[in-house]
């Protein structure tokens, strides 16, 4: 049997592939430290779990509306108004099976063959493959670590064309941790509004900020910008609910209606009792977040200081999310047991096989000079992993 040709352009998730390799090594009895997964190591708060458990006990196990429970969509709208300063109605919201389905729904609902999307790179791994799946062309804006991995207005203007349908904005960013300031987002909005494009604003890390940074949703700047924004968010990062598989999109009604039709022919609603957990998450309490952020901050500072102390590695301090993106190209040309290191894949394999430390090669995010490390793991693991990496780098020829 021959697979559909579109599958030739759909690579497996590199993050999940690294996680699988690390799990395989652990099954062999090896002590593997994983910096690969974008997954909080904290447990889902008890009040959220209890709400889902109670929903099960109450028999909340039937279908809901495809776009999610009205009570959940109301909670989403209230939370977004309180935390992002922009008001949506429940019929402008749809609950999805995680953030990836939000991207899938948006791109399939809006993009035609030959349309273009503009994405600053390094970028989250899901945007480009899904765009390619629908026949759209990705126009990358290559950002630099020296500039904090932020695209400039001039770069954005140069990337736009009459075929540009969507500009992707991910702040705080996965994988770079960069956070655009209010002034920077205002300029991006001006450039976008002068074009015919919409903005896919991925804000799932909006509550994970450091050093006094402010999260600004581009949709909050004006009614005109709100009408041109597809706001993506979810539960997995803020509430440590990755396995619950719930995200949401806020957008103009006609787009949500199209997404609802698409989702109705694919997955239907998010798991019903999980949605009750989502209501509890958004309605609060949120007192756990301060302690989580403080712990992430300690880890952030430790991993940045440790990586910068290793010869051949360098990393800028991220301002949000829970990732660092060290430059590993300083190791290219050096040799290990398998030969010369020529790419981020070579470096990641060397770290995994020689140091038992898993990170994701930067080529997966659109820049082969880097690797992504998640610090959503214990401080003990970070310190141990840094020591292992320092040791194996010292062994390179």
């Amino acid at each position: 049997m021959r697979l559909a040709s579109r599958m030739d352009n759909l690579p497996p998730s590199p993050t999940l592939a690294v996680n699988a390799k690390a799990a395989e090594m652990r099954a062999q009895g090896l002590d593997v430290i994983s910096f690969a997964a974008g997954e909080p190591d904290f447990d889902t708060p008890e009040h959220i779990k209890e709400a889902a458990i109670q929903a099960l006990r109450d028999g909340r196990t039937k279908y809901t509306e495809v776009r999610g429970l009205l009570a959940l969509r109301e909670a989403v709208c209230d939370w977004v108004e309180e935390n992002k300063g922009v008001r949506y109605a429940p019929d402008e919201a749809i609950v999805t099976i995680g953030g990836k389905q939000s991207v899938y729904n948006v791109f399939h609902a809006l993009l035609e063959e030959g349309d273009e999307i503009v994405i600053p790179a390094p970028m989250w791994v899901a945007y480009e493959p899904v765009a390619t799946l629908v026949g759209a062309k990705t126009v990358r804006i290559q950002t630099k670590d020296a500039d904090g991995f932020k695209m400039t207005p001039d770069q954005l203007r140069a990337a736009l064309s009459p075929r540009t349908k969507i500009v992707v904005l991910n702040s705080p960013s996965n994988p770079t941790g960069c956070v655009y300031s209010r002034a920077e987002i205002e300029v991006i909005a001006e450039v976008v509004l002068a074009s015919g494009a919409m903005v896919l604003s991925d804000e799932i890390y909006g509550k994970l900020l450091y050093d006094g940074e402010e999260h600004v949703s581009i949709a909050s700047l004006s009614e005109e910008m709100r009408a041109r924004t597809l706001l993506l968010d979810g539960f997995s990062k803020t509430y440590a609910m990755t396995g619950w598989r719930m995200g949401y999109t806020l957008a103009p009604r006609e787009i949500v209606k199209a997404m609802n039709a698409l989702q109705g022919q694919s997955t239907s609603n998010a798991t019903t009792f999980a949605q009750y957990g989502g209501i509890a998450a958004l309605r609060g309490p949120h007192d756990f977040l301060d302690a989580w952020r403080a712990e992430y901050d300690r880890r952030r500072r430790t991993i940045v200081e440790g990586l910068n102390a290793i010869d051949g590695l360098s990393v800028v301090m991220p301002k949000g999310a829970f990732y660092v993106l060290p430059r590993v190209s300083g190791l290219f040309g050096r040799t290990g047991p398998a030969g010369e290191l020529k790419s981020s894949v070579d470096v990641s394999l060397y770290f995994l096989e020689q140091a038992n430390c898993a990170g994701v090669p930067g080529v997966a995010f659109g820049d082969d000079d880097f690797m992504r490390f998640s610090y959503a793991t214990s401080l003990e693991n970070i310190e141990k992993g840094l020591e292992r990496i320092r040791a194996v780098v010292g062994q390179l020829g």
Side-chain angles (χ1 to χ4, degrees), residues 14-231:
T15 311
L16 298 181
V18 173
N19 285 339
K21 175 66 174 176
E24 180 183 321
M25 292 174 66
R26 286 197 192 97
Q28 296 169 2
L30 298 173
D31 176 24
V32 177
I33 297 173
S34 179
F35 297 108
E39 180 169 58
D41 60 326
F42 302 114
D43 192 15
T44 305
E46 286 300 316
H47 70 282
I48 300 173
K49 292 192 287 186
E50 286 301 321
I53 291 168
Q54 189 59 52
L56 280 169
R57 289 182 177 139
D58 292 343
R60 309 292 189 186
T61 58
K62 309 301 182 184
Y63 294 130
T64 70
E65 285 188 77
V66 169
R67 58 188 173 178
L69 292 163
L70 175 59
L72 177 54
R73 288 183 285 117
E74 288 174 337
V76 164
C77 293
D78 290 344
W79 189 91
V80 167
E81 182 175 24
E82 180 181 353
N83 290 275
K84 302 178 189 289
V86 54
R87 182 65 192 170
Y88 287 91
D91 63 349
E92 297 175 296
I94 181 170
V95 179
T96 57
I97 316 298
K100 282 184 178 178
Q101 189 180 26
S102 287
V103 173
Y104 186 94
N105 285 355
V106 165
F107 285 3
H108 279 74
L110 291 179
L111 295 175
E112 301 275 12
E113 185 88 24
D115 284 341
E116 294 178 358
I117 64 168
V118 173
I119 311 178
M123 58 194 171
W124 183 42
V125 297
Y127 303 131
E128 191 169 57
V130 178
T132 301
L133 194 64
V134 299
K137 176 187 175 184
T138 297
V139 178
R140 294 184 184 182
I141 294 177
Q142 209 66 40
T143 65
K144 300 176 181 179
D145 47 351
D147 298 327
F149 294 111
K150 297 179 184 181
M151 67 176 171
T152 68
D154 286 343
Q155 284 181 310
L156 178 56
R157 288 189 190 95
L160 293 170
S161 83
R163 297 202 67 84
T164 305
K165 198 74 169 282
I166 295 174
V167 174
V168 175
L169 180 65
N170 179 207
S171 177
S173 164
N174 172 10
T176 69
C178 81
V179 178
Y180 287 85
S181 69
R182 177 176 293 275
E184 290 166 335
I185 288 180
E186 286 174 347
V187 175
I188 290 170
E190 289 176 7
V191 175
V192 170
L193 288 174
S195 75
M198 298 195 71
V199 172
L200 186 155
S201 185
D202 186 344
E203 304 179 14
I204 200 164
Y205 295 95
K207 280 296 181 180
L208 301 179
L209 298 165
Y210 317 103
D211 301 335
E213 290 288 339
E214 176 191 16
H215 170 63
V216 178
S217 174
I218 196 169
S220 70
L221 298 183
S222 68
E223 280 300 313
E224 187 180 8
M225 195 64 244
R226 178 189 180 280
R228 299 271 287 275
T229 300
L230 309 147
L231 196 163

Side-chain angles (χ1 to χ4, degrees), residues 285-358:
H286 293 91
D287 52 351
F288 61 90
L289 272 175
D290 286 341
W292 286 12
R293 276 191 294 258
E295 180 59 23
Y296 283 138
D297 189 22
R298 283 190 286 271
R299 298 170 182 181
R300 175 182 70 121
R301 295 177 184 279
T302 298
I303 199 168
V304 167
E305 180 181 354
L307 289 170
N308 278 330
I310 298 173
D311 181 45
L313 303 182
S314 64
V315 61
V316 297
M317 181 70 79
K319 298 295 186 177
F322 41 61
Y323 308 104
V324 290
L325 198 73
R327 176 179 286 277
V328 298
S329 57
L331 301 180
F332 295 174
R334 300 176 68 174
T335 56
E340 183 181 350
L341 303 181
K342 299 179 179 179
S343 67
S344 61
V345 173
D346 291 344
V347 175
S348 67
L349 286 173
Y350 180 69
F351 287 170
L352 183 57
E353 294 170 355
Q354 302 301 316
N356 289 354
C357 290

Side-chain angles (χ1 to χ4, degrees), residues 238-272:
T238 302
Y239 301 102
M241 293 173 67
T242 51
W244 294 62
R245 307 310 305 133
M246 282 197 301
Y248 53 85
T249 305
L250 297 155
R253 286 178 177 84
E254 64 272 21
I255 296 176
V256 169
K257 183 178 179 181
M259 292 175 65
N260 187 63
L262 178 66
Q263 189 165 311
Q265 295 294 349
S266 54
T267 62
S268 296
N269 61 276
T271 301
T272 300

